[in-house]
Amino acid sequence: MGFLRVKKSEDLGGSSADPTAPLLEVDNLHVEFRIEDGTVRAVNGLSYTLGRGETLAILGESGSGKSVSAQAVMGILDTPPGFVTQGSVKFRGVDLLALNKKSKTYDHVVPEVRGTRIAMVFQDALTALNPVYTVGWQIGEMFRVHQGASRKEAKEKAIEMMERVKIPSARERINSYPHEFSGGMRQRVMIAMALSMDPDVIIADEPTTALDVTVQSQIMELLAELQRETGMGMILITHDLAVVADVADRVVVMYAGREMETAEIDDIFHLPSHPYTLGLMESIARPDVHVDRLTPIPGTPPDLLAIPSGCPFHPRCTYATERCPKEVPELESVNGSHSSACFYWKEVQVEL
Amino acid sequence: MGRYLIRRVLQFIPVFFGATFLIFALVFVMPGDPIAALSGDKPLPPDVVQALQERYHLDEPLYKQYGIYITNVMQGDFGTDFRGRPVVDLMKDRLPVTIRLALLAFFFEVVIGLTAGVVAGVRKGQFFDSLVLISTLIVIAIPIFVLGFMAQIVFGVKLGWFPISGYRQGWFSLMLPAFVLASLSLAYIARLSRTSLVENLRADYVRTAKAKGLNNRRVIGIHTLRNSLIPVVTYLAIDLGALMGGAIITETIFNLPGLGRAVFEATQAQEGAVVVGIATFLVIVYMIANLLVDVLYGVLDPRIRYE
C-alpha cells in the first residue's frame, strides 16, 4: 500500500482524538422523524461502546430503529425529516454529532471520518451500488476522492481491493457493472469499497439479508476474516440470531428504538433476561435445543408514531403486569456488563 | 449493438411507407381543387386543366399517384409545386431558418429547463422549487399562439427589446420565436428533471455515496445526476424532432421563412407536393431522432445493452 496509505492523523476537525478512548461510543442517542402524520420516534436512548477488534451486534425486528441509529452514527440521516434530538456519538473521544452541527451541510468536517475511518456496508448491494458506473470506478472513487489518486492508480488499488475480498479474476471484472455480478460478488464489491480506506469501524447493515443462505455464511466469514486482519471494530445490524451467534462478541437487543437487553453473546443465548429476547429465541429453530413447536411472539411490532406507554413491549409480553404500561423500566444490571430493561428479569431467568 | 442498429433501421421501412402513405392520402382527400386554387377565381381553359392534371398525375387513382410519388422521392426527387419550382429547392431555402430556430429553442430548453429543474429538485419544498412548479404549470396551460402574441406585445412592442417579426436580423430575430417555441418543452423538462432528481436522491446508491464520505456536490453532480438525466435525455432527443416540425404556429406568428410556414402556406394553396414533401422529410427526422434516443439509452444506462 505504501504511499497511498491513509494518514491517520489524530486531528479530527479541530478536536483532537483521545487514544485511550474507545473506538466508538454512542450515548443516549435519540432520533426522530418529523413527518406530516406526527413524530416517529425511531431511536429512543440507545447507548453502546465498541472497542478495537470487537463485534457488536444490534439485533431487532424491522422498525426497531437499528438501521436509523447506524445512519445517525454515520451522519447520513435524511434531514429533514430525520433529526438527532439527543445524545452523543463519540469516535475516539471526539463528538461526531457536534462536528456535524458545526458544518451546515455534511460537506466539511465529517468526511474526515465518514467513509474513511467509519465505513458502512449496506443491505442490498444491487441498489446500494450506483447502476451506471463500473465497480472498479466506484471502488476507485474512494482513492481518488480521499487520497487524490490518479485514475490509473485508483484502478490498480481497486483491483487490489477486489482481490482482497476474493473476487475471482478481479482484473477482468474491474470494468463490469454491478448488475453483471451475482448477489454475493456484489456484496463483496460493497465490502471492498467500505474497506478501501482501511477504516477503524465498519458498520454492516444487514449485510447478508438479501443473499442465499450459503452465500450468507461466505460473506460473514469474509467479514470476520478481514476484521481479524485489520483489527477494526464492527457493528453488525441484523434481525438474524444465527448470524449473531456466529460472529458477535456483544449484543444489543432493540425494540421500538429502545435497548431491551445488552450482554455478551454467551449470556444472551444462555441466560436471556428480557421477555423480548426470550421471545426471539423461542421463535427460531436452534440445533442445540429441541422443541416440538416454535412459539412466535404474539402481536405486531409497535407503531412508532404511537409507542405504547411505559415499557413499549408490554402489549405483547406474557410477563406484563399493571406496572408495565405506567413506568418505563430502566436498563438494570443483571450481572456485570449484562443488563436488561425489564422489571421482571429475574422471573424470566427462572423460567429457563 | 450492430445487429440491433440494423434491425432498427429495417424497422424504418414499414414506418416510412406507412407514414408517408397516410400523409399522402390525407392531402389527397383535402377538399377543394388545387388547379382551381392556382388560378384564383377565374376558370381555366379545359385543355390547360387537362394538361396540368396529366402532368401532376391528378387523374390517376390514389395508390398509383402514391406509387409514382414515392418512387421519385427515393431517387431524391420530391416533385415540383404548381409553379414548376422543385420542392427540394424550397426545402433547401427554408430549412436553414427552421434548423436555427429549432437549435436555439433546444438550447433554451436544455440550459434553462434543465438548470431550473435540477436546482428545484435539490431545493425541494423551498421557494425556488415552488416558483418553478407554478410557473411551468402556467406555461403548460397557455396555448403557444397566446404566448407568441404576448411575447410580441411585451418584448417587441412595449419593451422593444426584440424584433416583432421577420428574419432580417438573423439569429437575433430568432430569439423571441425560439423562446416561445421552447417554452412548452422547457416547462416539461424542468418538471421532468426535478421529479427525476428528487426520486433519485432517495435512492439507496445516493445513501452509499454519502456514506463514502463524498461531498454534496459529488453526491448530486456525479452520482445522482447521471441517473436522473436518463429520462430527460430521452425526452430531449424526441423533442428535437418535434421542434423541427412543431414550428408551424411559431413561424407563422413571427413571420419566419421556415419549413413550418411553408407547410402552412402550401396547405392553404392546396400544394400537395410541398405538404407531402416536407412532411416526409419530417418523418425521416423523427425516425432518426428516435433511433438516437434508443442508442443514447444504452450509452447512459449500462443495464440496457442491445444484443
Side-chain angles (χ1 to χ4, degrees):
Chain A
M1 294 258 221
F3 70 105
L4 280 178
R5 202 172 183 90
V6 191
K7 254 198 303 178
K8 296 248 164 158
S9 80
E10 294 303 306
D11 185 53
L12 298 170
S15 324
S16 47
D18 175 2
T20 61
L23 268 186
L24 195 66
E25 220 180 337
V26 173
D27 186 42
N28 195 27
L29 185 72
H30 284 70
V31 182
E32 59 185 44
F33 288 91
R34 292 166 197 158
I35 58 171
E36 271 175 44
D37 298 342
T39 304
V40 177
R41 298 186 200 287
V43 181
N44 304 294
L46 175 68
S47 306
Y48 58 78
T49 308
L50 181 74
R52 249 183 98 68
E54 199 185 4
T55 299
L56 174 80
I58 300 181
L59 186 71
E61 292 169 292
S62 37
S64 61
K66 51 197 198 303
S67 292
V68 171
S69 69
Q71 285 173 25
V73 170
M74 286 296 286
I76 57 169
L77 212 56
D78 280 327
T79 307
F83 295 90
V84 176
T85 49
Q86 250 190 76
S88 69
V89 176
K90 285 188 181 141
F91 173 74
R92 295 167 139 204
V94 177
D95 192 335
L96 295 182
L97 297 178
L99 287 187
N100 238 341
K101 263 182 207 145
K102 263 198 231 167
S103 60
K104 216 169 145 197
T105 59
Y106 39 82
D107 268 11
H108 310 294
V109 184
V110 174
E112 291 170 22
V113 176
R114 187 191 304 131
T116 54
R117 309 180 88 169
I118 306 180
M120 194 153 171
V121 172
F122 291 96
Q123 184 181 95
D124 182 0
L126 182 62
T127 55
L129 290 169
N130 197 322
V132 300
Y133 295 107
T134 64
V135 297
W137 188 94
Q138 293 187 56
I139 300 170
E141 188 184 22
M142 294 297 281
F143 295 96
R144 294 205 286 126
V145 169
H146 294 299
Q147 298 182 345
S150 70
R151 269 167 201 279
K152 215 176 137 199
E153 283 166 348
K155 197 172 165 182
E156 285 305 313
K157 302 295 289 182
I159 293 170
E160 221 172 85
M161 288 311 301
M162 282 169 74
E163 280 166 353
R164 210 167 142 208
V165 297
K166 305 194 176 67
I167 294 175
S169 46
R171 193 166 287 278
E172 285 84 64
R173 307 215 64 185
I174 187 96
N175 289 325
S176 303
Y177 289 91
H179 70 275
E180 295 168 328
F181 284 78
S182 67
M185 287 299 144
R186 259 197 304 265
Q187 195 54 278
R188 282 169 198 265
V189 171
M190 274 257 56
I191 293 169
M193 198 159 76
L195 289 182
S196 56
M197 292 296 111
D198 203 4
D200 300 313
V201 177
I202 186 159
I203 303 177
D205 187 358
E206 308 231 12
T208 58
T209 306
L211 303 174
D212 293 344
V213 182
T214 46
V215 183
Q216 279 184 6
S217 58
Q218 288 169 14
I219 293 292
M220 284 319 301
E221 252 167 57
L222 174 73
L223 277 172
E225 197 183 316
L226 291 165
Q227 191 186 15
R228 275 198 300 277
E229 278 172 28
T230 58
M232 63 187 174
M234 177 154 77
I235 294 176
L236 180 67
I237 295 168
T238 182
H239 64 262
D240 190 343
L241 270 171
V243 170
V244 170
D246 283 344
V247 295
D249 299 315
R250 284 188 65 78
V251 181
V252 173
V253 180
M254 278 183 87
Y255 185 80
R258 232 182 266 274
E259 243 169 296
M260 295 287 111
E261 183 172 2
T262 170
E264 303 292 323
I265 183 74
D266 287 346
D267 290 343
I268 281 284
F269 279 92
H270 295 119
L271 199 62
S273 306
H274 193 285
Y276 179 60
T277 318
L278 194 64
L280 286 177
M281 303 283 182
E282 286 174 344
S283 62
I284 59 155
R286 287 169 66 184
D288 56 333
V289 182
H290 177 79
V291 286
D292 291 327
R293 186 181 269 269
L294 296 173
T295 327
I297 303 173
T300 52
D303 175 4
L304 293 176
L305 274 167
I307 295 175
S309 62
C311 171
F313 188 59
H314 82 260
R316 302 171 72 185
C317 184
T318 47
Y319 294 83
T321 63
E322 49 188 52
R323 187 184 173 192
C324 297
K326 289 181 192 145
E327 219 178 305
V328 181
E330 293 297 318
L331 210 57
E332 197 179 314
S333 177
V334 171
N335 179 20
S337 63
H338 186 173
S339 347
S340 165
C342 179
F343 299 126
Y344 306 106
W345 61 265
K346 284 185 187 121
E347 282 84 340
V348 178
Q349 284 187 346
V350 166
E351 179 153 298
L352 288 163
Chain B
M1 191 73 182
R3 280 174 68 100
Y4 171 78
L5 273 182
I6 291 168
R7 217 170 59 224
R8 279 305 306 264
V9 172
L10 285 178
Q11 283 172 7
F12 274 11
I13 296 168
V15 174
F16 176 79
F17 284 111
T20 49
F21 182 77
L22 275 177
I23 297 159
F24 199 87
L26 282 173
V27 174
F28 185 85
V29 298
M30 270 204 302
D33 181 355
I35 294 172
L38 187 65
S39 64
D41 288 336
K42 285 174 221 137
L44 287 169
D47 52 329
V48 176
V49 174
Q50 178 105 30
L52 278 171
Q53 273 188 341
E54 265 169 36
R55 185 157 148 212
Y56 294 103
H57 310 286
L58 293 178
D59 47 354
E60 304 278 5
L62 173 64
Y63 70 90
K64 249 190 176 160
Q65 285 193 30
Y66 176 73
I68 294 164
Y69 178 74
I70 210 71
T71 317
N72 289 336
V73 165
M74 306 245 255
Q75 291 158 354
D77 176 11
F78 278 79
T80 61
D81 64 11
F82 290 129
R83 292 180 192 84
R85 188 182 179 210
V87 175
V88 174
D89 285 359
L90 178 79
M91 290 202 287
K92 271 187 197 151
D93 218 29
R94 298 295 186 92
L95 192 57
V97 179
T98 297
I99 287 181
R100 274 177 204 162
L101 184 66
L103 285 180
L104 198 59
F106 193 68
F107 175 79
F108 285 145
E109 273 177 25
V110 173
V111 174
I112 303 174
L114 216 53
T115 312
V118 169
V119 175
V122 173
R123 302 190 181 166
K124 186 191 162 213
Q126 296 177 21
F127 174 74
F128 187 81
D129 183 32
S130 310
L131 184 77
V132 167
L133 284 179
I134 293 170
S135 58
T136 49
L137 190 64
I138 292 171
V139 169
I140 290 169
I142 299 177
I144 193 161
F145 63 89
V146 177
L147 266 179
F149 291 136
M150 271 164 52
Q152 280 178 324
I153 291 168
V154 176
F155 297 104
V157 180
K158 295 255 154 90
L159 296 170
W161 291 351
F162 298 102
I164 299 160
S165 80
Y167 187 55
R168 263 163 301 166
Q169 285 167 271
W171 284 99
F172 189 61
S173 315
L174 294 177
M175 296 292 275
L176 211 50
F179 196 78
V180 170
L181 179 62
S183 57
L184 185 64
S185 295
L186 192 155
Y188 279 130
I189 283 164
R191 284 178 156 248
L192 188 63
S193 48
R194 174 198 174 270
T195 310
S196 181
L197 188 72
V198 167
E199 223 166 73
N200 275 284
L201 279 172
R202 279 200 298 259
D204 284 355
Y205 64 82
V206 173
R207 205 181 48 194
T208 308
K210 288 179 189 165
K212 282 167 90 175
L214 308 178
N215 61 24
N216 247 339
R217 181 176 294 205
R218 216 176 151 83
V219 168
I220 294 171
I222 308 273
H223 281 270
T224 320
L225 213 51
R226 172 138 172 221
N227 284 283
S228 313
L229 286 186
I230 294 170
V232 181
V233 170
T234 317
Y235 181 84
L236 277 173
I238 295 178
D239 196 53
L240 190 60
L243 284 175
M244 300 277 296
I248 296 178
I249 296 169
T250 313
E251 284 182 5
T252 309
I253 292 173
F254 288 92
N255 203 27
L256 295 171
L259 277 185
R261 209 181 85 203
V263 170
F264 177 71
E265 286 163 358
T267 311
Q268 283 187 322
Q270 306 253 341
E271 287 274 18
V274 178
V275 177
V276 176
I278 293 174
T280 303
F281 171 76
L282 291 177
V283 166
I284 296 169
V285 170
Y286 261 102
M287 289 196 304
I288 293 171
N290 262 304
L291 184 65
L292 200 70
V293 168
D294 287 341
V295 175
L296 267 175
Y297 249 143
V299 173
L300 282 172
D301 190 345
R303 284 166 297 184
I304 305 165
R305 283 285 145 93
Y306 308 105
E307 297 313 323

